[in-house]
């Protein structure tokens, strides 16, 4: 849908900001109380284009930033990622069992 495309483009822009070396932009995202919960929500929903972008953005934000890591722990991010991984594994098992046409 057009909303998914818009969200994916917004996530690409956020990822560009945090990767660019622009410390002000990255710091603003790291210090926002909304950034990590919203990105985790996108990961939890598991949309194919949004979840990997949100995961990458979270990883870059958390890398060498203890406050973001603590925020991820308090939001039980590991449970979110384990749930997504479990669904992915199950999907792969189902695909492996589907006969070729």
């Amino acid at each position: 849908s057009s909303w998914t495309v818009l969200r994916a483009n917004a996530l690409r822009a956020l990822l560009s900001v945090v990767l660019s070396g622009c410390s002000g932009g990255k710091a603003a995202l790291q210090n926002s109380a909304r950034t990590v919960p919203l990105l985790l929500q996108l990961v939890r929903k598991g949309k194919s284009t949004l979840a990997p972008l949100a995961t990458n953005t979270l990883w870059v934000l958390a890398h060498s930033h203890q406050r973001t890591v603590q925020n991820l722990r308090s939001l039980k991010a590991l449970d979110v990622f384990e749930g997504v991984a479990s669904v992915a594994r199950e999907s792969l098992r189902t695909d492996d069992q589907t006969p070729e046409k």
Side-chain angles (χ1 to χ4, degrees), residues 2-38:
S2 60
W3 281 110
T4 301
V5 172
L6 181 64
R7 287 179 180 154
N9 287 333
L11 280 172
R12 285 184 190 96
L14 285 177
L15 189 54
S16 294
V17 167
V18 297
L19 288 172
S20 71
C22 173
S23 60
K26 186 174 181 178
L29 290 171
Q30 287 170 326
N31 292 324
S32 170
R34 296 178 60 195
T35 302
V36 172
L38 287 173

Side-chain angles (χ1 to χ4, degrees), residues 46-86:
K47 298 242 182 199
S48 61
T49 52
L50 300 179
L53 286 167
T55 301
N56 288 338
T57 305
L58 282 168
W59 187 90
V60 173
L61 286 173
H63 183 70
S64 300
H65 193 260
Q66 196 59 35
R67 183 173 169 202
T68 303
V69 172
Q70 290 170 350
N71 195 3
L72 286 166
R73 282 187 186 133
S74 71
L75 293 169
K76 300 185 186 215
L78 186 58
D79 293 343
V80 172
F81 289 114
E82 286 176 345
V84 170
S86 176

